[in-house]
Amino acid sequence: TEEVVRGVMVARVLTGVLNARGNSAMADKKYTDVQLINRFKNGSLDAYEELIARYSQRAFNLAMRFTRNQEDAEEVLQDVFATVYRKIA
């Protein structure tokens, strides 16, 4: 079904982003990803927004590769970050 396919795409995008996260330069980052996750767990929405800012473009690019459609890729991206929010919070 369509819901199962979307779930698989979300999982693939999350996996792709997590596997590629070491490729970004840390010089301009005030906090590591782990520090941001811990800050978010302690109630900082700014930390969650920083995680989105760091990974949204990479996640969107992966979603576009999988869906080949901007609207579907945007939906997958929303699902990805909603999943991240639920899993961390």
Side-chain angles (χ1 to χ4, degrees):
T1 67
E2 188 174 314
E3 191 172 314
V4 171
V5 170
R6 179 171 294 155
V8 169
M9 280 191 270
V10 167
R12 290 178 72 186
V13 169
L14 278 170
T15 301
V17 169
L18 291 173
N19 287 338
R21 71 178 175 211
N23 295 337
S24 56
M26 287 297 296
D28 61 336
K29 296 180 182 174
K30 185 175 178 179
Y31 298 104
T32 66
D33 292 347
V34 172
Q35 289 170 322
L36 287 172
I37 290 167
N38 288 331
R39 290 185 68 225
F40 176 58
K41 285 181 178 181
N42 290 321
S44 172
L45 288 179
D46 290 339
Y48 177 70
E49 290 173 2
E50 175 63 24
L51 288 168
I52 291 173
R54 285 185 187 182
Y55 293 104
S56 61
Q57 188 62 50
R58 185 177 295 147
F60 179 76
N61 290 342
L62 285 169
M64 278 295 290
R65 283 191 4 218
F66 295 136
T67 65
R68 300 189 193 313
N69 175 301
Q70 183 172 347
E71 186 176 305
D72 290 341
E74 289 170 355
E75 286 183 31
V76 168
L77 188 63
Q78 287 179 343
D79 290 345
V80 164
F81 285 111
T83 299
V84 168
Y85 186 95
R86 283 192 314 274
K87 296 288 183 177
I88 293 174

